[in-house]
Amino acid sequence: MANLLPSCQPIHFLNLPVEIRSKIYYHAFLHPDPIRGCPPHKIHVLEPKTAHATRWSGHPWWGTEPMTRLLRINHQIHDEAEKVLYTRFCIGFPLHVTTQIVRKLLIPMSDQARSSIRSVGVCIALLTKPFFPLGSVTLNRALGSVSKENVWRDAFALIVELLPRLQSVDMSIIITGGDVEGELRRRTVDSAIRIASPLKGVKHLTIRTHKSTERQQVLVDDIKERVQAGIWE
């Protein structure tokens, strides 16, 4: 009896249409178990040997093997996958970001790679009391002094300078020390505006907070209103 079934020929990955390959790259980069509260298309920039990175060792830290394995197959797949990575994923900078960390990540990239990045995530912490109780090492490092305002602002300015086609920034605000009112509230809002001022030319600036009280949320809403109204002074 003749075999009526069509013969199955293997399909080489690179023979697939580029649109299909791009979808495969995107899903290959997605992490199946993202950090709570973070979208699966966000890749976090954090030095792998830090205590925080060790705690979350299974997550998609920048430059770790789960993220880079796809980029090491061959030159063609590297170039195609890199474009998907930089144009469709959010690069999340850590709370203790500095100009040194920004340079360490972005300067080694090619001009083409930096020009492809569209979205980044940043995080700041607003002190509403002159001290911070014992907590995570990373958070205490970031909240060491009020001078962090200049550190964050300089880092954000460098990110904008090095990423000419940046379109979207997701800025997360951590508020520590309790609720604020009156003059302290006004100074806290002013501080946040100064920190965020290098981002004023970005097309989409999203501001959000985590686990805030009702009054803290009002403070963040004040910051949002200033940004939306274009009041940066």
Side-chain angles (χ1 to χ4, degrees), residues 187-200:
R187 287 192 282 118
T188 303
V189 172
D190 288 346
S191 176
I193 293 297
R194 287 192 296 269
I195 293 170
S197 60
L199 308 174
K200 60 185 177 182

Side-chain angles (χ1 to χ4, degrees), residues 3-166:
N3 185 2
L4 301 179
L5 295 176
S7 60
C8 296
Q9 297 295 326
I11 299 176
H12 195 282
F13 177 76
L14 294 178
N15 289 335
L16 294 172
V18 66
E19 295 83 4
I20 295 179
R21 294 203 301 272
S22 294
K23 290 182 178 180
I24 293 173
Y25 297 142
Y26 177 79
H27 287 283
F29 280 127
L30 285 176
H31 198 279
D33 184 27
I35 298 172
R36 183 181 301 176
C38 294
H41 64 278
K42 187 171 186 178
I43 294 181
H44 301 265
V45 177
L46 195 65
E47 298 177 44
K49 293 183 180 180
T50 62
H52 190 66
T54 302
R55 177 185 176 191
W56 299 101
S57 59
H59 293 288
W61 301 116
W62 182 271
T64 54
E65 201 275 338
M67 190 207 81
T68 61
R69 64 180 66 164
L70 189 61
L71 303 176
R72 291 184 279 109
I73 297 176
N74 63 38
H75 290 295
Q76 180 178 346
I77 289 178
H78 172 277
D79 293 344
E80 293 176 351
E82 184 182 63
K83 182 177 180 181
V84 172
L85 175 66
Y86 293 149
T87 59
R88 300 186 63 185
F89 281 76
C90 177
I91 310 304
F93 287 88
L95 177 63
H96 60 276
V97 66
T98 63
T99 54
Q100 182 179 5
I101 290 176
V102 174
R103 289 192 180 96
K104 184 177 179 180
L105 173 75
L106 298 182
I107 293 298
M109 292 183 181
S110 65
D111 291 341
Q112 180 178 352
R114 289 198 299 270
S115 296
S116 298
I117 295 178
R118 301 289 190 271
S119 176
V120 301
V122 296
C123 185
I124 67 172
L126 299 179
L127 280 166
T128 58
K129 282 187 178 180
F131 66 91
F132 185 72
L134 293 177
S136 72
V137 174
T138 300
L139 197 57
N140 280 315
R141 281 177 61 192
L143 304 181
S145 69
V146 180
S147 64
K148 281 296 294 185
E149 178 181 312
N150 295 331
V151 174
W152 281 314
R153 186 172 64 242
D154 292 347
F156 297 167
L158 186 59
I159 289 172
V160 171
E161 177 185 343
L162 294 177
L163 303 180
R165 300 185 70 181
L166 182 64

